[in-house]
Amino acid sequence: MRISTAQMFNQNINSVLDRQSATSNIMEQLSSGKRVNTAGDDPVAAIGIDNLYQQNALVDQFIKNIDYATGHLAVAESKLGSAESLASSIKDQVLRAVNGTLTDTDRVTIANEMRSSLDELLSIANSKDESGNYLFAGNQTSTQPFAFDAAGNIVYSGDSGVRQSVVASGVTVGTNLPGDSVFMNAANALGDFSVNYLPAQVGEFNVESANIVTPGAHVPVAPEGYTFTFTDNGAGGVNLEVFDSAATSQVVVPNFDPTNPVSFNGIEVKIDGTPAAGDSFTMSPQTEVSIFDTINQAITLLEDPNKVNTPQGGAELAQLLDNIVSGTRQIDFDRGIAGNDLKRVESYKSDHTDEKLVNSSALSLLEDLDYASAISEFEKQQLALNAVSTLFSRVNSTTLFDYI
């Protein structure tokens, strides 16, 4: 076999280049602090490293979503705490107004205090986040959710949307509480119907509850509902007759006893007090009430001295007071939802933090460089490179003429 000068040169230059490449790789590892800088360094480890980086990127996004949700839920929870305190304060003001020793001027003063509290409550309901979006507008974040209409009632212009944030694989958490749920849809304290007391009322009574207790036996009526009429029974008491909106008699209760509920059409109505002959009231379907409208109605009632001191006014005030309590409970309920969601996202964030620690530890094992071993390997490669370079320089300078 013949070995040419060119072959010897190529073999030696390849040896030098191999050693330079190996030395360069180690220098790159020492510079980056990573054992695996390219897939060629360790293909199996590179796949694991890529997967771990993807998992960490996903975890980082989850944590960002959690931080966003936490910020919004914390603000909403705080605002609802203030709203609940205001609603409780308004309830106390109504209770104070019921005091029979107060003058009309005193009640007007209380009504003015309540109006200020209502304005403050409305301001809370129209709160914005750090980006200028309305907190309690559902998905209509650029639209002011609550405002007075031409009739003086507060209307809701948002929607019932709950904005979701992905906080873990397959797990979403609501980042807002729609205003209709918080402020507009409190359960009617009476049940399934609201009562309208009439100015001619003489007896001291009010409806405690009105519920559909047997849905299968209930036939819905027109929105006008029912009329309850009390008549003299000729024995010092009253009879009660209930009519529907078509003036069709639903039930006749002779010798009405307020300790017994009135039942008809699957409905049960409990009346407290002593109705008088000639008294009457109407009842219409209503399962939810707005705390804003309830407070507004209470203010209007307290400002009317011709009504507030009458049996009708007393009965209405009792109903309004119960609905304010119900509205306060609804605010508290939604505040509890925000608090529970805050706990959930905090738990997920803790889990993600632990997961990232585990992933980082695994990444360290796969890609981090053992500096002691790397420096030792670097010195070996340098030695080998110097030896190959020296040999190459000597062999390269040798020709056939050296042996002649």
Side-chain angles (χ1 to χ4, degrees), residues 253-317:
V253 182
N255 303 317
F256 171 74
D257 181 356
T259 61
N260 298 320
V262 180
S263 299
F264 62 96
N265 193 21
I267 302 170
E268 183 177 275
V269 179
K270 294 181 180 178
I271 300 173
D272 180 50
T274 308
D279 284 346
S280 181
F281 67 86
T282 61
M283 189 176 79
S284 56
Q286 184 178 11
T287 58
E288 296 176 336
V289 294
S290 158
I291 191 168
F292 292 123
D293 288 342
T294 302
I295 295 170
N296 227 353
Q297 291 164 14
I299 291 171
T300 301
L301 179 59
L302 292 178
E303 289 176 334
D304 185 354
N306 296 323
K307 185 176 182 181
V308 69
N309 293 315
T310 65
Q312 177 201 14
E316 282 189 10
L317 203 56

Side-chain angles (χ1 to χ4, degrees), residues 115-323:
R115 197 173 296 281
S116 296
S117 297
L118 176 60
D119 290 340
E120 190 175 350
L121 185 62
L122 184 62
S123 176
I124 291 173
N126 285 327
S127 297
K128 296 181 180 181
D129 62 17
E130 72 284 353
S131 301
N133 296 319
Y134 288 100
L135 283 173
F136 302 109
N139 290 322
Q140 308 299 318
T141 55
S142 60
T143 302
Q144 179 176 311
F146 297 96
F148 285 97
D149 64 9
N153 298 315
I154 294 177
V155 295
Y156 180 62
S157 300
D159 60 27
S160 301
V162 177
R163 303 186 296 279
Q164 300 290 333
S165 187
V166 181
V167 298
S169 296
V171 179
T172 60
V173 171
T175 62
N176 70 298
L177 296 162
D180 56 349
S181 170
V182 179
F183 301 103
M184 305 296 285
N185 298 341
N188 180 2
L190 292 185
D192 298 315
F193 297 86
S194 62
V195 174
N196 179 36
Y197 299 95
L198 303 180
Q201 179 177 333
V202 175
E204 299 284 349
F205 72 90
N206 64 278
V207 176
E208 284 189 338
S209 64
N211 292 289
I212 298 171
V213 294
T214 313
H218 176 66
V219 178
V221 296
E224 291 80 5
Y226 303 94
T227 300
F228 289 64
T229 301
F230 298 93
T231 56
D232 192 343
N233 66 358
V238 293
N239 298 327
L240 168 64
E241 189 168 7
V242 181
F243 300 90
D244 63 17
S245 56
T248 302
S249 178
Q250 294 288 307
V251 66
V252 175
V253 182
N255 303 317
F256 171 74
D257 181 356
T259 61
N260 298 320
V262 180
S263 299
F264 62 96
N265 193 21
I267 302 170
E268 183 177 275
V269 179
K270 294 181 180 178
I271 300 173
D272 180 50
T274 308
D279 284 346
S280 181
F281 67 86
T282 61
M283 189 176 79
S284 56
Q286 184 178 11
T287 58
E288 296 176 336
V289 294
S290 158
I291 191 168
F292 292 123
D293 288 342
T294 302
I295 295 170
N296 227 353
Q297 291 164 14
I299 291 171
T300 301
L301 179 59
L302 292 178
E303 289 176 334
D304 185 354
N306 296 323
K307 185 176 182 181
V308 69
N309 293 315
T310 65
Q312 177 201 14
E316 282 189 10
L317 203 56
Q319 178 174 276
L320 292 170
L321 182 59
D322 287 341
N323 280 336

